[in-house]
Amino acid sequence: MMVAVKDRVRFVETDLMGVVHHSNYLRWFEMARVEYLRTANVLLPDLIADGILFPITEVQCKYRQSAYFDEMIRVEATLADFSRAKLCFAYRVVRETDNVLLAEGTTQNVFTDDKGRVIRLPQLYFERIEAVRQAENGGVA
Amino acid sequence: MMVAVKDRVRFVETDLMGVVHHSNYLRWFEMARVEYLRTANVLLPDLIADGILFPITEVQCKYRQSAYFDEMIRVEATLADFSRAKLCFAYRVVRETDNVLLAEGTTQNVFTDDKGRVIRLPQLYFERIEAVRQAENGGVA
Amino acid sequence: MMVAVKDRVRFVETDLMGVVHHSNYLRWFEMARVEYLRTANVLLPDLIADGILFPITEVQCKYRQSAYFDEMIRVEATLADFSRAKLCFAYRVVRETDNVLLAEGTTQNVFTDDKGRVIRLPQLYFERIEAVRQAENGGVA
Amino acid sequence: MMVAVKDRVRFVETDLMGVVHHSNYLRWFEMARVEYLRTANVLLPDLIADGILFPITEVQCKYRQSAYFDEMIRVEATLADFSRAKLCFAYRVVRETDNVLLAEGTTQNVFTDDKGRVIRLPQLYFERIEAVRQAENGGVA
């Protein structure tokens, strides 16, 4: 299943070259990742309350076209790889008005306890995420 | 006593008008505030470990001149008002090369426990900050 | 007239005290200000294309309650003072679920040419903004 | 040649997991990249004034250890690949106190005119950067 969020490019997200600063795409990826997990009823504050952290261990992004202030963008997330040890998302950022691809990328995160030791995701959370991963797409949120 | 920090304007801190986005000055204020407290040997991680939080309750800033990418800036902090209930800093941001004033502002913060209830700063920390406040300036850090 | 935008608190907007960093409220103010001007059909890229810049000259914010990750917030903007020389907005940030006031503040901006010289807003733009200012509220966008 | 910058982790760079948000490493990479180019006497405002933009087309980062508030970090940049068509930097972020590797990554950027059309870097700038790339390391800046 693919989960998407839409947002409008903020003024503060631009830089003096007149386009969105490349670091902000990672923040947009995060919005889509959070929404994906929300769809699975996995809320990050619940994980943290259970003593589970989820640090990003790897990220990559290819930038295809610039994004500009005030444009509506859509960020799509799919789960590319998933086990109780790690979570790998793939993302596409598209301009909402004409579906032009602006960027695509991936993130990987692991799960750790609050001492930073790697742990396995509890079965309850695993099953919720797995159910969404296997679901057919019922339309973009 | 006045405590100052210097830094170089980051590319990401600019916006499409070609100057530093106004929200970043609050982040620069924070760097000077942290440095002031460090001078007093009051480290924020120690406060947090002691269960003391220090939320900002008020901020104001007047912008005098634009700051540009790659300029060296100096942020000066002085303690304008101080009790065991609150901490009020005054700041000046100046361009390092010619001492032109770019912005000036103030912040106020209180102290709370981790439930958000207002508390009084423990005497130990109070005395350390008070000692720096009363010290003559021995030069800019 | 009051114009509002809604958004969800981003993970990246929090800090190690577990709440939204105070500097982000200025960025939320900006989103509401942009939306207000859009309602008036005043688009910032058009102003820039006309050689008109609109630097923030003053900002103040009082923080009432912390905002937390993933909460829906609503940012309301009204025009507090307006002439062809300056634009003063007042803002309220409320938690969408229960309308609790999180912060309130103001910004002032002037208009300049691309050399930074203060100018007066052209009549066309002035009239559009004035029309929205005087309009009765027809509901929150 | 390797060029490095040092900085202190800002409070605002942390998130509610208590560590630096992963997107900020791209901003740190940028500081080192800017410093590398400064060492070559290639100033980004000069490029822009010459109508040359330098959008990032690709970035990747592997995160090894968390960075914490107030730590001193050192960001090292080397030029991994370089032609008049593109610039590829490799970075290492280390904790200054004990040289522990926190993250490593790469960026690629191309050169474009202000219409976004890919161009070749003028010979003057090329030679300056090439001279630094070939230079032996004379110590960290």
Side-chain angles (χ1 to χ4, degrees):
Chain A
M1 182 169 172
M2 182 266 280
V3 173
V5 293
K6 296 175 187 177
D7 211 348
R8 199 180 272 285
V9 173
R10 299 179 178 184
F11 196 86
V12 72
E13 292 176 324
T14 63
D15 65 31
L16 66 79
M17 287 202 290
V19 297
V20 171
H21 190 269
H22 65 279
S23 63
N24 291 314
Y25 290 76
L26 302 201
R27 299 169 174 206
W28 294 350
F29 288 174
E30 183 166 78
M31 291 164 58
R33 185 168 64 247
V34 166
E35 192 64 26
Y36 193 102
L37 294 173
R38 188 200 321 287
T39 303
N41 197 23
V42 173
L43 303 180
L44 300 187
D46 291 348
L47 286 183
I48 293 173
D50 284 354
I52 304 167
L53 299 181
F54 31 85
I56 295 286
T57 47
E58 201 170 329
V59 67
Q60 67 87 14
C61 184
K62 297 191 186 202
Y63 303 87
R64 304 304 189 187
Q65 296 283 335
S66 296
Y68 292 87
F69 168 62
D70 222 31
E71 290 183 332
M72 286 298 300
I73 51 143
R74 190 176 72 243
V75 190
E76 305 174 347
T78 52
L79 202 43
D81 191 13
F82 177 45
S83 70
R84 291 181 56 192
K86 70 180 178 183
L87 205 44
C88 299
F89 280 99
Y91 310 88
R92 295 174 77 247
V93 178
V94 299
R95 191 164 53 210
E96 175 67 9
T97 47
D98 57 7
N99 286 312
V100 165
L101 180 67
L102 302 177
E104 47 195 335
T106 60
T107 60
Q108 180 187 287
N109 67 271
V110 296
F111 306 102
T112 73
D113 64 17
D114 57 11
K115 300 281 185 285
R117 288 176 295 225
V118 173
I119 58 172
R120 289 166 65 80
L121 186 67
Q123 187 67 17
L124 169 71
Y125 291 120
F126 177 81
E127 287 173 3
R128 290 181 184 175
I129 296 173
E130 183 62 16
V132 169
R133 189 178 71 80
Q134 294 188 4
E136 294 298 314
N137 235 18
V140 173
Chain B
M1 183 168 171
M2 183 267 281
V3 173
V5 293
K6 296 176 189 177
D7 211 347
R8 198 181 275 282
V9 174
R10 299 178 178 184
F11 197 86
V12 72
E13 292 176 325
T14 62
D15 65 32
L16 66 82
M17 287 203 290
V19 298
V20 171
H21 190 268
H22 64 280
S23 63
N24 291 313
Y25 290 75
L26 303 201
R27 299 169 173 206
W28 295 350
F29 288 175
E30 184 166 78
M31 292 164 57
R33 185 167 66 249
V34 166
E35 191 65 27
Y36 193 101
L37 294 173
R38 187 199 322 284
T39 303
N41 196 23
V42 173
L43 304 180
L44 301 187
D46 291 348
L47 287 183
I48 293 173
D50 284 355
I52 304 167
L53 299 182
F54 32 83
I56 295 285
T57 48
E58 202 170 327
V59 66
Q60 68 87 16
C61 184
K62 297 191 184 200
Y63 303 87
R64 304 304 189 187
Q65 297 283 335
S66 296
Y68 293 87
F69 168 62
D70 221 33
E71 289 183 333
M72 286 298 301
I73 51 142
R74 189 174 73 242
V75 190
E76 304 174 348
T78 52
L79 202 42
D81 192 13
F82 177 45
S83 71
R84 291 182 56 193
K86 70 178 180 183
L87 203 46
C88 299
F89 280 98
Y91 310 88
R92 296 174 76 248
V93 178
V94 299
R95 190 164 53 210
E96 176 68 8
T97 45
D98 57 7
N99 286 312
V100 165
L101 180 67
L102 302 178
E104 48 195 334
T106 59
T107 60
Q108 179 187 287
N109 67 271
V110 296
F111 305 102
T112 73
D113 63 18
D114 56 13
K115 300 281 186 284
R117 287 174 299 224
V118 172
I119 58 172
R120 289 166 64 79
L121 187 67
Q123 188 67 19
L124 169 71
Y125 292 120
F126 177 82
E127 287 173 2
R128 289 181 185 176
I129 296 173
E130 183 61 18
V132 169
R133 189 179 72 79
Q134 293 188 4
E136 295 298 314
N137 237 18
V140 173
Chain C
M1 183 169 171
M2 183 266 280
V3 173
V5 293
K6 296 176 189 176
D7 212 348
R8 199 181 275 282
V9 173
R10 300 179 178 183
F11 197 86
V12 72
E13 292 176 326
T14 62
D15 65 31
L16 67 82
M17 287 202 291
V19 298
V20 171
H21 191 268
H22 65 280
S23 63
N24 292 313
Y25 290 76
L26 302 200
R27 299 168 173 207
W28 296 350
F29 288 175
E30 184 167 76
M31 292 164 58
R33 184 167 67 249
V34 166
E35 192 65 26
Y36 193 101
L37 294 172
R38 187 200 322 285
T39 303
N41 196 24
V42 173
L43 303 180
L44 301 187
D46 290 348
L47 286 184
I48 293 173
D50 284 354
I52 303 168
L53 299 181
F54 32 84
I56 295 285
T57 47
E58 201 169 327
V59 66
Q60 68 87 15
C61 184
K62 297 192 185 201
Y63 303 87
R64 303 305 189 187
Q65 297 283 335
S66 295
Y68 293 87
F69 168 62
D70 221 33
E71 290 183 332
M72 286 298 301
I73 51 144
R74 190 175 72 242
V75 190
E76 304 173 348
T78 53
L79 202 42
D81 191 12
F82 177 46
S83 71
R84 291 182 56 193
K86 70 178 179 183
L87 204 45
C88 299
F89 280 98
Y91 310 88
R92 296 175 75 248
V93 179
V94 299
R95 191 164 52 209
E96 176 67 8
T97 46
D98 57 5
N99 286 312
V100 165
L101 180 67
L102 301 178
E104 48 196 332
T106 60
T107 60
Q108 180 187 286
N109 66 272
V110 296
F111 306 101
T112 74
D113 63 18
D114 56 12
K115 300 279 184 286
R117 287 174 299 223
V118 173
I119 59 172
R120 289 166 65 79
L121 186 67
Q123 188 68 18
L124 169 72
Y125 292 120
F126 177 82
E127 287 173 3
R128 289 182 184 175
I129 296 172
E130 183 61 16
V132 169
R133 189 179 73 79
Q134 293 188 6
E136 295 298 315
N137 237 17
V140 173
Chain D
M1 183 169 171
M2 183 267 280
V3 173
V5 293
K6 296 175 188 177
D7 211 348
R8 198 180 275 283
V9 173
R10 298 178 178 184
F11 197 85
V12 72
E13 292 176 324
T14 62
D15 65 32
L16 66 81
M17 287 202 290
V19 297
V20 171
H21 190 270
H22 65 280
S23 63
N24 291 314
Y25 290 75
L26 303 200
R27 299 169 173 205
W28 296 350
F29 288 174
E30 184 166 77
M31 292 163 58
R33 184 168 65 248
V34 166
E35 192 64 27
Y36 192 101
L37 294 172
R38 187 198 323 286
T39 304
N41 197 23
V42 173
L43 303 179
L44 300 187
D46 290 348
L47 286 184
I48 293 174
D50 284 354
I52 303 167
L53 300 182
F54 32 83
I56 295 285
T57 48
E58 202 170 326
V59 67
Q60 66 87 13
C61 184
K62 297 191 187 203
Y63 302 88
R64 305 303 190 187
Q65 297 282 337
S66 295
Y68 293 87
F69 168 62
D70 222 32
E71 290 182 333
M72 286 298 300
I73 50 142
R74 189 175 73 242
V75 190
E76 304 174 348
T78 52
L79 203 43
D81 191 13
F82 177 45
S83 72
R84 291 182 56 193
K86 70 178 180 184
L87 204 44
C88 299
F89 280 99
Y91 310 88
R92 295 174 76 248
V93 178
V94 299
R95 192 164 53 208
E96 175 68 8
T97 46
D98 57 7
N99 286 312
V100 165
L101 179 67
L102 302 178
E104 48 195 335
T106 60
T107 59
Q108 179 187 287
N109 66 272
V110 295
F111 306 101
T112 73
D113 63 18
D114 57 12
K115 300 281 186 284
R117 287 175 297 224
V118 172
I119 57 171
R120 290 167 64 81
L121 186 67
Q123 187 67 20
L124 169 72
Y125 291 120
F126 178 82
E127 287 173 2
R128 289 182 185 175
I129 297 172
E130 183 62 16
V132 168
R133 189 179 72 79
Q134 293 187 4
E136 295 297 315
N137 235 19
V140 173

